[in-house]
Amino acid sequence: MLRYTLTRLALLALGLLVASALVFATLRVLPGDVAQLVAGTEGSPGQVAAIRERLGLDRPVLVQYADWIGGILRGDLGRSLLTGTPVADELASKAQVTVPLGVLSLAIALAIAVPFGVLSAVRRGRPVGTSISVVAQLLAAVPVVWAGMMLVVVFAITLGWLPAQGFPRAGWSDPAAALRALTLPALTVGVVEGALLLRFVRSATLQALGEDHVRTAAAKGLTRTQALVRHGLPSVGLSIITVLGLQIAGIVVGAVVIEQVFNLPGIGRMLVADVGARDLVKVQGELLVLTGFVLAIGFAVDIVHRVIDPRQREAA
């Protein structure tokens, strides 16, 4: 198991290196000149050249990439080309919105998917099971932006229960206000992602109900639900963990979109603004952190699988 873990860590590091090279190369081919943006429309060619030299943009691309990677290895993601603030500090500040939003969205998705997915499978062919499946199919097809707008109309405009946009300036020093601000965005992402996850939970539960040991337990006098709870949940849990890794990546992408809809000062909104401003160093750091998070989730899911599933432990 140790050897397998070390191998996966090496692959994770390699994946991050490849991702960093792709991010760096892609941003360098985008149109526009950062030095010209900093100098403004009135900047002379000499001023633009001086700014380019000050920012290090006149050096060879490989040298710039090597310096960036060297800084990352020291825990330094660089400084914004436009404001000079450390990228790591900016990310830490914006993460206070994005991370709680992602956690709340995931909790809502699981609260919807697991119980209703299991119920839909256990009651397959009955009105309850069919109704849950139909509603899940409809919700899964709803664009997250449209879902957010509908929730705003109902809960913010019509009922006035929750704020439609923004985040309190006091931040988490006022937890109640912060949670109220994140409720609608988290519901938006959680409901859509929960509907997607529900279908996987239903399929995994149906597969578990068809396994020999579950059917044998039911034949010995247990109900289908009792047999599932006692003997089928481990296999269902493994399937959920596998899909959950993909769902977390979906929640990260959904958070980038939903922060724009609800005007939240998170990493996603900052990323969109920095792409428009051509702040290459900040965009590099933001994309690399998001990519690293997704890769780390995949690594964690793989290791948890090996720990929980005896068959995979023996194979490892």
Side-chain angles (χ1 to χ4, degrees):
M1 186 64 189
L2 177 60
R3 180 180 178 183
Y4 177 81
T5 303
L6 293 176
T7 302
R8 293 296 301 170
L9 279 173
L11 290 175
L12 174 62
L14 179 60
L16 283 172
L17 182 61
V18 172
S20 69
L22 290 175
V23 167
F24 188 89
T26 301
L27 293 178
R28 289 308 181 281
V29 299
L30 292 177
D33 186 351
V34 177
Q36 184 67 62
L37 287 174
V38 175
T41 56
E42 303 296 328
S44 65
Q47 291 174 325
V48 173
I51 292 173
R52 187 177 289 111
E53 181 180 359
R54 175 171 60 83
L55 297 178
L57 299 175
D58 60 332
R59 295 175 300 164
V61 173
L62 289 179
V63 174
Q64 295 182 47
Y65 176 70
D67 288 346
W68 182 51
I69 293 298
I72 291 173
L73 294 176
R74 297 190 302 271
D76 180 13
L77 291 173
R79 291 179 174 271
S80 168
L81 295 178
L82 302 181
T83 65
T85 56
V87 177
D89 292 348
E90 293 262 7
L91 283 169
S93 174
K94 303 301 182 182
Q96 296 179 28
V97 175
T98 301
V99 172
L101 173 60
V103 172
L104 286 173
S105 301
L106 180 61
I108 292 171
L110 288 173
I112 292 171
V114 175
F116 288 104
V118 173
L119 180 60
S120 176
V122 172
R123 300 296 181 183
R124 180 187 183 187
R126 300 181 184 181
V128 173
T130 303
S131 299
I132 293 174
S133 297
V134 171
V135 172
Q137 292 283 356
L138 292 174
L139 290 176
V142 174
V144 67
V145 173
W146 188 85
M149 293 172 61
M150 292 301 100
L151 289 175
V152 166
V153 169
V154 174
F155 293 102
I157 298 176
T158 303
L159 299 175
W161 291 352
L162 296 167
Q165 285 189 333
F167 193 75
R169 291 189 176 182
W172 288 100
S173 60
D174 186 355
L179 283 174
R180 289 184 75 248
L182 293 181
T183 299
L184 277 183
L187 272 175
T188 302
V189 179
V191 168
V192 175
E193 294 295 331
L196 293 170
L197 183 58
L198 187 151
R199 297 185 298 174
F200 289 102
V201 174
R202 181 178 183 273
S203 299
T205 305
L206 288 174
Q207 183 177 355
L209 287 171
E211 292 179 352
D212 291 338
H213 60 283
V214 176
R215 295 167 62 185
T216 301
K220 290 182 178 180
L222 295 178
T223 65
R224 293 180 70 194
T225 303
Q226 291 173 334
L228 175 66
V229 171
R230 295 186 184 183
H231 304 284
L233 284 184
S235 60
V236 175
L238 285 173
S239 300
I240 292 175
I241 290 173
T242 301
V243 178
L244 200 58
L246 300 175
Q247 291 300 110
I248 291 175
I251 287 174
V252 171
V253 175
V256 171
V257 175
I258 215 65
E259 285 177 2
Q260 299 295 314
V261 176
F262 287 93
N263 195 27
L264 295 174
I267 293 176
R269 187 158 172 251
M270 179 175 68
L271 174 61
V272 174
D274 291 337
V275 169
R278 290 276 297 169
D279 197 339
L280 297 183
V281 175
K282 281 186 70 178
V283 174
Q284 286 171 183
E286 291 154 4
L287 289 177
L288 187 63
V289 167
L290 292 175
T291 303
F293 176 76
V294 173
L295 291 176
I297 291 296
F299 167 79
V301 168
D302 199 9
I303 296 301
V304 169
H305 254 287
R306 295 280 173 168
V307 171
I308 294 178
D309 192 347
R311 295 168 298 181
Q312 294 197 30
R313 281 205 307 270
E314 292 172 2

